[in-house]
């Protein structure tokens, strides 16, 4: 297994977990870009949204709902934040395992880069 997120799921690489269940894992980003920056990942290895199968739509919905809940728990309900799903190299994806970033706790500009 060479996927870093699969290794985190397996417990081979430590992470600062903030949520886990049978379908997903959420943990703080190792290189935060905002005061609140965490990832929500499926335990099922899916490379990105562009190759995701339609049957995974419910799983992706669960990930987004959990990201919303965790953002609120981390104090971002009032002012909000940014939910990001990058896909492939031009989209800025650096780990080939689908993941949702949540960034909050400060004002974020647009466009992002």
């Amino acid at each position: 297994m060479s996927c870093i997120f699969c290794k985190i799921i397996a417990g081979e690489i430590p992470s600062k977990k903030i949520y886990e269940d049978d379908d997903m894992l959420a943990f703080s980003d190792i290189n935060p870009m905002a005061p609140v920056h965490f990832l929500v990942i499926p335990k099922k290895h899916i490379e990105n949204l562009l190759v995701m199968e339609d049957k995974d739509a419910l799983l992706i919905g669960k990930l987004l709902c959990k990201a919303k809940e965790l953002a609120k728990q981390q104090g971002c309900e009032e002012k909000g934040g940014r939910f990001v799903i990058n896909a492939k190299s031009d989209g800025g994806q650096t780990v080939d395992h689908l993941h949702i970033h949540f960034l909050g706790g400060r004002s974020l500009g647009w466009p992002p880069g």
Side-chain angles (χ1 to χ4, degrees):
M1 171 186 344
S2 62
C3 172
I4 190 167
F5 287 171
C6 288
K7 289 179 180 181
I8 289 171
I9 291 165
E12 296 172 19
I13 296 175
S15 67
K16 185 179 175 192
K17 293 180 187 180
I18 57 175
Y19 179 81
E20 183 174 16
D21 67 18
D22 291 341
D23 296 320
M24 69 186 84
L25 176 66
F27 54 94
S28 297
D29 193 291
I30 195 166
N31 186 25
M33 297 290 128
V36 177
H37 187 176
F38 62 83
L39 306 177
V40 181
I41 65 173
K43 288 189 172 178
K44 176 182 178 182
H45 184 86
I46 302 169
E47 285 188 20
N48 59 63
L49 279 179
L50 294 171
V51 300
M52 174 189 93
E53 298 178 11
D54 290 346
K55 67 181 181 181
D56 294 319
L58 181 60
L59 174 60
I60 302 310
K62 286 179 169 181
L63 296 174
L64 285 167
C65 287
K66 183 52 67 176
K68 171 195 74 161
E69 180 184 316
L70 294 171
K72 288 179 178 182
Q73 287 176 6
Q74 303 231 359
C76 295
E77 184 171 17
E78 183 180 335
K79 291 191 174 185
R82 184 170 294 157
F83 299 85
V84 178
I85 302 173
N86 299 320
K88 298 193 175 191
S89 59
D90 277 1
Q93 185 177 9
T94 58
V95 176
D96 289 332
H97 186 120
L98 179 74
H99 54 287
I100 300 168
H101 289 264
F102 177 80
L103 298 98
R106 69 171 174 87
S107 181
L108 301 164
W110 193 262

